Amino acid sequence: MSKTLIQPREIPEQEELNYLNNGTSLKSWLLTGDHKRIAVLYLIGISFFFFIGSIAAGLIRLQLMRPTGVLLENDTYNKVFTAHGIVMIFFFLVPSIPAVFGNFFIPLMIGARDLAFPRLNLLSWYVYMLGGVMFLAAMLGGGVDTGWTFYVPLSSMYSNTNVSLAILAAFMAGMSSILTGVNFIATIHKMRAPGMTWGRLPLFVWAHYATSIIMVLGTPVVAITLVLVLFERTFKIGIFSPELGGDPVLFQHMFWFYSHPAVYIMVLPGMGVQSELIANFCRKKVFGYHFIAISSLAIAALGFLVWGHHMYVSSQSMYQSTVFSLLSFLVAIPSAIKIFNWSATIYKGDVRLQTPMYYALAFMGLFTIGGLTGLYLASIATDVHLTATYFVVAHFHYVMVGGALTAYLGAIHYWWPKMFGRLYSDSLGKVSALLVFVGFNLTFMPQFIVGWLGMPRRYSVYYLAPEFQAYHIMSTLGSTVLGIGLFMPLCYLTYSLFKGPRASANPWGAHGLEWLTSSPPVTENFKQIPIVTDEVYDFDYERDHREHAEEADSEEVE
Amino acid sequence: MASTAVDTHAHHHPGLHHQFEDIEQQNEAYLVGMWSFMVNEIMFFGGVFLVYCLYRWRYQDDFYAIHHELNWKMGAFNTTVLLFSSFSMVMAVHFATLKDRMKTLMNLALTCACAFTFLIVKYFEYGAKFEHKLFPGPNFRPELEHLNGANPNVAQLFMSLYFGITGLHALHIIIGILIIGILMGFWYKKNPLVTEDFLPTEMVGLYWHFVDLVWIFLFPLFYLIPR
Ligand SMILES: [Cu+2]
């Protein structure tokens, strides 16, 4: 890729060591400034919270097997779905791709030695873990029953559960996400290698740039909103509760001003992963590179203007709802630009059907369903019928699980050899990808139907409509398959850490600066900072110049 | 390209972190980071300002009545103090660029003194509100004369906003004092991090101006409500 090299400063003689074995004490991990190690710390934390959230999901599915419920009391059921929501959103989806793969690969992809603020990066992990531990304490100490949305006046006046601690935990998760966003913005602006222009940035980096903007603009608003709920709960001051002279719809406005854009915090990084996978497994420059890059920013900008679609059945004025509805429809445009451009990239591409590509294809199908069903919820008339039903649940799971989680799994399978220098079994990977795809659809497709028929979300029983049981049983079966599909990578990836064959620097034949350095990368990423001379995803260039490049390299390295 | 890299290497800066190629890149990255943080702070305060605006819109008359309970003279005094502290902060940054250690230290000390004065005045202001039982919550039981004819519920809302927002602001002042204190320590010890490079001083300055600016909005919103 790059043939001319600069020598910025002498590098000590520990180059043979990679980031994993350069210092093995616990302290060298817990006090590290290395973005790659912090990403691994995040990977461990996030996997743990994903596990907790999945157990809660399993309990929910088990409960709904019978119209009268199976296991849980009503109160417990409320606490379980609240735990599922809070853990999955604040402690898995929001940090997942940015904090693990963004953290690890943004510096590698732009040719930098680290993020701009390594200590801030480490701090963000500690703040995240502190928030997580606080939420675990809230859960074990009796639970929270408000739902992840903390709606007032339930959360501020009536709930006798550990709402305050849960709010503080969510606040901490928000702080951590702000720190990550600030770090990414400074890094992407100022740390790019010579020749790495904005027009040559990988789309993964573009997506994270848009995500970081949302993190910095949106998260402080939900932070202050939660602080106000906490004030109201503690001092009984009337900001949101009508009993105290406040306005509950104001809370909804402020909450969704963050929480709708938060959807894009969760899914934009996934779209970034998707662009990398599609380009590299079709051996083709992404069709409409600039359109995909700009559409990420467009989604970030439009995302701030549509929050009212969560409030069609509140006291919001109908004219306001109409405007929000129109704007919500507009979000479909940049999303469709991405889907169409990815499809066009696959067309006549040199497609390699390896595990990450399986996930990429799954993403395209599932995210499209999630996006299109969103239109039913964006238009007022259908939304009034569908509000707070399982249709909504199915819709956002298609976006969050079918989109964000699938992309997360795609990312882990794509970059695993780079991160840990080991290969996993591709056939096991494909089996698990298929199980995830089939299990996921079996879980959530019936929920569209049962929601359309009127099954409300958050109910622990449905004995008034026992005919819904068939759908719920299908859904529970599907979630079991999904669970197996998710458990498999845990096993074979862990196995590969110890027994997997060693990975070369570029096992996929992919294109990008991260594949130039060794697997796993050395502590400061590059022996010499590369100068970028070719365009992004320029596979033709690579083919034409490979021999030439090898000659030049062998001359320079001596 | 190669030659420029060697040049910057020759002026290797003592405060340069390993992830940056040269001190210019580091300084620019710090500034971008600082401004992103500022945007984040603006959105944070923006949330409470929004709440204030909505309720002021709805309860203008009661807000006008109860705002007489705030002592505008103390508020005006504090505004002057903060404006002066912004000036001394500007001078500190100015002398930092000139590497004049004593004058930088003096101006930073002056800024700190202003910040303490602000907090002391605030302490007496808050004290008076507690005395008149104007602190929101179960103990909110002001005498009629302290309500000035405002609806007690709205008066409580106003006082909640007052304590909430000025409290958040005071928290930022306290953090500012801590940061300025650390910066002064660095200057005092002649740490090359700050003496060789004015950027750390400039970033502390940016933060301090932001805190002042928030107060410039708070003062008229709470103390000078027109009828
Ligand atoms: Cu939304």
Side-chain angles (χ1 to χ4, degrees), chain A residues 441-453:
Chain A
N441 279 303
L442 190 55
T443 311
F444 292 104
M445 198 57 92
Q447 293 187 7
F448 275 126
I449 304 168
V450 81
W452 185 266
L453 295 176

Side-chain angles (χ1 to χ4, degrees), chain A residues 169-466:
Chain A
F171 185 85
M172 288 291 167
M175 290 293 111
S176 143
S177 149
I178 290 170
L179 293 179
T180 306
V182 167
N183 215 339
F184 283 178
I185 289 178
T187 305
I188 297 171
H189 266 281
K190 292 296 168 195
M191 308 282 284
R192 284 170 286 128
M196 179 53 87
T197 58
W198 287 92
R200 286 174 179 168
L201 276 187
L203 289 166
F204 180 79
V205 180
W206 269 109
H208 274 82
Y209 186 67
T211 309
S212 307
I213 290 175
I214 306 177
M215 285 171 166
V216 168
L217 283 179
T219 318
V221 177
V222 82
I224 189 69
T225 311
L226 292 178
V227 166
L228 290 176
V229 173
L230 203 60
F231 277 8
E232 184 162 297
R233 198 175 160 81
T234 320
F235 302 118
K236 297 280 174 265
I237 61 176
I239 288 179
F240 296 132
S241 292
E243 295 88 332
L244 302 167
D247 185 345
V249 180
L250 175 61
F251 170 84
Q252 296 185 22
H253 276 294
M254 291 174 73
F255 180 81
W256 289 113
F257 178 81
Y258 163 76
S259 294
H260 184 83
V263 172
Y264 303 122
I265 293 183
M266 301 174 219
V267 87
L268 272 175
M271 291 168 155
V273 171
Q274 178 72 3
S275 299
E276 297 301 313
L277 297 184
I278 294 281
N280 285 309
F281 287 87
C282 299
R283 292 294 188 276
K284 213 172 137 193
K285 179 169 177 159
V286 170
F287 185 85
Y289 165 87
H290 290 99
F291 283 92
I292 294 197
I294 299 301
S295 68
S296 291
L297 295 177
I299 287 178
L302 278 175
F304 276 109
L305 306 174
V306 302
W307 74 88
H309 62 219
H310 295 269
M311 301 159 58
Y312 290 154
V313 295
S314 74
S315 65
Q316 171 178 272
S317 124
M318 79 180 200
Y319 301 106
Q320 217 174 332
S321 295
T322 314
V323 174
F324 277 125
S325 174
L326 182 74
L327 290 168
S328 304
F329 272 96
L330 290 185
V331 181
I333 297 172
S335 312
I337 286 177
K338 286 178 189 281
I339 292 283
F340 284 125
N341 281 337
W342 291 325
S343 315
T345 311
I346 299 174
Y347 179 67
K348 287 194 175 167
D350 179 6
V351 180
R352 324 270 163 119
L353 277 179
Q354 284 158 309
T355 310
M357 188 60 184
Y358 271 45
Y359 279 108
L361 292 172
F363 178 101
M364 284 189 51
L366 301 180
F367 178 78
T368 306
I369 296 176
L372 288 178
T373 50
L375 297 179
Y376 292 75
L377 303 171
S379 68
I380 301 171
T382 39
D383 180 72
V384 169
H385 172 62
L386 294 169
T387 292
T389 65
Y390 262 82
F391 190 92
V392 179
V393 174
H395 156 70
F396 69 71
H397 279 88
Y398 263 85
V399 177
M400 308 280 182
V401 184
L405 179 66
T406 305
Y408 179 81
L409 290 169
I412 218 172
H413 284 90
Y414 176 49
W415 280 310
W416 186 265
K418 176 56 68 185
M419 291 173 83
F420 299 102
R422 300 285 189 159
L423 298 172
Y424 55 88
S425 149
D426 193 47
S427 42
L428 280 177
K430 285 175 181 168
V431 172
S432 87
L434 284 175
L435 284 179
V436 166
F437 183 77
V438 171
F440 173 81
N441 279 303
L442 190 55
T443 311
F444 292 104
M445 198 57 92
Q447 293 187 7
F448 275 126
I449 304 168
V450 81
W452 185 266
L453 295 176
M455 172 81 200
R457 66 192 287 203
R458 294 179 172 162
Y459 276 34
S460 60
V461 289
Y462 50 98
Y463 49 77
L464 292 178

Side-chain angles (χ1 to χ4, degrees), chain B residues 4-19:
Chain B
T4 44
V6 172
D7 275 356
T8 49
H9 181 61
H11 314 147
H12 196 337
H13 192 278
L16 182 65
H17 287 288
H18 74 96
Q19 71 270 31

